[in-house]
């Protein structure tokens, strides 16, 4: 028995070393949305294993039982049908598919990224612009902007409004849950919350060119006091974000450093979205579309 344990230990060592540098990401959620998504993933996996495990086991059992050298196995060369087997083969997967369909239908509506989170706390809004190859974050209520770094209070809902001024991208903070596409001329939405303080990795989840692998950012959930102190720090920046500065910022760059802008031109996010509207669109039509959003 001790020898067996010794062999098992040395067999597990390489796998432990391989996994030691991995980030658990979505499987180590720090927000309610992420926790609900993890629960859904595990539930779906367990339901599918109800079919997968018996199939794998029976593959080896049947191969052993009906091997050529086993003269005790029943030999039925004319056998072609079994109602009992058919019921098991088709019935169990159908039940699992029905259960998965019901769970998927329910959770699809519960985890709708456009659906605001239930909370007694006033949410904070962050406008996100995907650029080549960096992330611009605009805080419309605090009137400042940052590049490749955001902060917000823990246990406070965050309403993200997302667009792109570059090729289509995907905004993703794995530990907080959900991802959603950033597209030019369009505004998508994502609602997240951090259940505990910490710094989480944000990333681009859609290949968008040469600098894609370095298109990352940090998202820090802090206390309310910590957030207010950070806001004051950003407000001390000597840089401001106007059209001229933005036109420089939107140029391609790889591994762009974190930047702070103490002020930002009003309605810049909407201006970025609007510039991809059809040139011939009338102002009344444009205003109608904006009201629908």
């Amino acid at each position: 028995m001790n020898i067996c344990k010794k062999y098992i230990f040395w067999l597990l060592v390489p796998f432990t070393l391989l996994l030691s540098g991995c980030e658990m990401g979505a499987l180590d959620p720090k927000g309610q949305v992420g926790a609900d998504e993890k629960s859904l993933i595990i539930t779906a996996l367990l339901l599918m294993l109800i079919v997968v495990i018996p199939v794998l086991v029976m593959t080896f059992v049947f191969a052993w039982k009906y091997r050529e050298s086993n003269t005790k196995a029943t030999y039925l060369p004319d056998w072609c049908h079994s109602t009992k087997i058919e019921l098991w083969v088709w019935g169990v997967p159908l039940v699992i598919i029905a259960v998965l369909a019901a769970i998927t239908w329910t959770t699809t509506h519960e985890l709708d990224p456009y659906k605001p989170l239930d909370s007694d706390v006033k949410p904070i809004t962050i406008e996100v612009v995907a650029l080549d190859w960096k992330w611009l974050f605009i805080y419309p209520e605090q009137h400042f902007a940052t590049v490749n770094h955001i902060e917000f209070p823990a246990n406070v809902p965050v309403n993200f409004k997302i667009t792109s001024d570059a090729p289509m991208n995907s905004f993703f903070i794995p530990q907080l849950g959900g991802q959603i596409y950033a597209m030019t001329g369009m505004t998508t939405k994502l609602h997240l919350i951090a259940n505990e303080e910490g710094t989480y990795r944000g990333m681009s989840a859609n290949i968008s060119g040469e600098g894609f692998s370095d298109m990352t950012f940090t998202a820090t959930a802090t206390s309310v006091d910590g957030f207010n102190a950070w806001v004051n720090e950003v407000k001390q920046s000597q840089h401001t974000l106007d059209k001229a500065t933005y036109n420089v910022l939107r140029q391609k760059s790889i591994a762009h450093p974190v930047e702070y802008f103490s002020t930002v031109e009003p309605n810049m996010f909407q201006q970025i979205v609007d510039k991809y509207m059809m040139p011939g669109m009338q102002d009344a039509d444009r205003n109608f579309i904006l009201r629908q959003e």
Side-chain angles (χ1 to χ4, degrees):
M1 181 62 70
N2 290 333
I3 295 177
C4 291
K5 289 182 178 180
K6 181 179 179 181
Y7 283 128
I8 291 173
F9 171 79
W10 286 110
L11 285 172
L12 291 177
V13 167
F15 295 102
T16 304
L17 293 175
L18 287 172
L19 292 173
S20 62
C22 297
E23 295 181 6
M24 295 302 291
L27 297 180
D28 182 25
K30 301 299 182 181
Q32 187 56 50
V33 175
D36 291 342
E37 290 177 346
K38 175 185 176 182
S39 177
L40 177 60
I41 292 171
I42 293 175
T43 299
L45 177 63
L46 292 176
L47 285 171
M48 290 185 285
L49 286 178
I50 294 175
V51 172
V52 173
I53 291 177
V55 169
L56 293 176
V57 171
M58 287 189 292
T59 298
F60 291 100
V61 171
F62 286 4
W64 174 256
K65 182 176 181 180
Y66 296 104
R67 67 192 186 280
E68 184 179 3
S69 60
N70 185 11
T71 56
K72 296 181 180 180
T74 304
Y75 179 61
L76 298 172
D78 298 323
W79 180 88
C80 64
H81 178 75
S82 170
T83 302
K84 184 182 295 186
I85 292 177
E86 291 284 349
L87 288 174
W88 279 101
V89 169
W90 291 101
V92 173
L94 285 174
V95 170
I96 292 174
I97 290 172
V99 173
L100 276 174
I103 293 173
T104 302
W105 172 268
T106 303
T107 54
T108 296
H109 291 280
E110 291 177 349
L111 297 174
D112 181 358
Y114 278 56
K115 180 182 178 182
L117 302 177
D118 294 329
S119 176
D120 296 330
V121 182
K122 180 183 177 181
I124 181 173
T125 298
I126 302 178
E127 297 170 337
V128 183
V129 183
L131 301 171
D132 281 329
W133 287 276
K134 63 192 84 71
W135 295 96
L136 170 64
F137 301 101
I138 300 172
Y139 286 71
E141 297 163 345
Q142 289 78 19
H143 310 292
F144 66 81
T146 65
V147 174
N148 287 343
H149 178 72
I150 51 174
E151 292 199 19
F152 44 84
N155 300 306
V156 173
V158 183
N159 299 343
F160 291 101
K161 295 175 63 178
I162 305 165
T163 191
S164 175
D165 198 5
M168 185 174 73
N169 226 296
S170 183
F171 179 80
F172 189 25
I173 308 176
Q175 287 185 283
L176 298 186
Q179 66 171 334
I180 196 161
Y181 286 104
M183 295 173 280
T184 54
M186 297 181 63
T187 301
T188 52
K189 299 177 182 179
L190 182 65
H191 296 84
L192 299 176
I193 189 171
N195 290 345
E196 58 185 77
E197 296 181 17
T199 298
Y200 311 114
R201 181 173 182 264
M203 58 185 290
S204 164
N206 189 78
I207 295 176
S208 57
E210 181 183 1
F212 157 74
S213 60
D214 290 308
M215 193 173 172
T216 60
F217 64 93
T218 53
T220 299
T222 182
S223 64
V224 174
D225 291 339
F227 174 71
N228 291 333
W230 177 76
V231 170
N232 291 330
E233 177 187 347
V234 177
K235 289 288 188 179
Q236 301 304 313
S237 171
Q238 300 299 313
H239 303 288
T240 61
L241 186 62
D242 54 19
K243 288 182 180 178
T245 307
Y246 175 76
N247 287 331
V248 174
L249 180 65
R250 70 185 296 268
Q251 301 304 312
K252 294 181 179 180
S253 62
I254 298 177
H256 196 91
V258 172
E259 283 191 79
Y260 291 159
F261 300 93
S262 58
T263 60
V264 60
E265 185 172 312
N267 299 319
M268 175 165 283
F269 179 84
Q270 197 59 56
Q271 292 177 37
I272 295 170
V273 176
D274 286 351
K275 73 179 184 178
Y276 290 97
M277 293 287 188
M278 292 184 294
M281 180 178 289
Q282 299 296 319
D283 290 339
D285 296 333
R286 186 192 303 270
N287 291 334
F288 174 77
I289 291 175
L290 296 179
R291 286 198 299 272
Q292 302 311 304
E293 294 182 353

